[in-house]
Amino acid sequence: MRATGTFTVTAFVPTELRPDPAVSTGLPVGVATMEKSFEGEVAGRSATLFTSAFDQATGIGTYVAMESFEGSLHGREGAFNFVHSATTSGSDRTAEFFTIVPSSGTGELAGISGAGGMAVDADGTHRIWFDYQLS
């Protein structure tokens, strides 16, 4: 089944966590926590650990995010984890990865598996979808 929705980032908080030992590279590595709010067939909230190697000035870099989602898909209530990553050259998204973490579902979403994706519309609307199965 496919569940779609939109989301907004309600908080993005950089942390002081730094790799140790420090390694100097061409792009700085950062860690942040995020909170998101979801509406549509995907409804609820998430807490995210967000890591990236990113240049704010050029918009070039790669991120990896681990999200813990709590809410509903098509009205089924529960929670689960999903992970996603992508690379950008400043105006695109490539090398995208998105999967639901096996055995992470609870409640009516216990046994969830699958994949999904994200996109940002020209007007800035953030979209998400899950192609999922429940066992």
Side-chain angles (χ1 to χ4, degrees), residues 74-100:
H74 291 121
R76 291 188 168 134
E77 298 281 337
F80 61 92
N81 300 112
F82 64 101
V83 62
H84 53 98
S85 65
T87 295
T88 181
S89 65
S91 61
D92 63 349
R93 285 175 60 94
T94 61
E96 294 180 81
F97 176 79
F98 191 115
T99 194
I100 296 170

Side-chain angles (χ1 to χ4, degrees), residues 39-72:
E39 296 181 352
E41 296 169 339
V42 178
R45 66 187 183 98
S46 72
T48 308
L49 294 175
F50 184 87
T51 60
S52 66
F54 192 75
D55 182 339
Q56 292 284 349
T58 63
I60 296 172
T62 298
Y63 79 89
V64 177
M66 176 65 70
E67 297 208 30
S68 298
F69 172 83
E70 178 180 60
S72 65

Side-chain angles (χ1 to χ4, degrees), residues 22-35:
V23 175
S24 181
T25 64
L27 291 176
V29 173
V31 178
T33 60
M34 295 174 71
E35 294 177 29

Side-chain angles (χ1 to χ4, degrees), residues 2-6 39-43 73-74 127-132:
R2 176 171 275 202
T4 63
T6 59
E39 296 181 352
E41 296 169 339
V42 178
L73 300 182
H74 291 121
R127 300 196 177 279
I128 190 166
W129 60 91
F130 292 97
D131 293 319
Y132 70 98

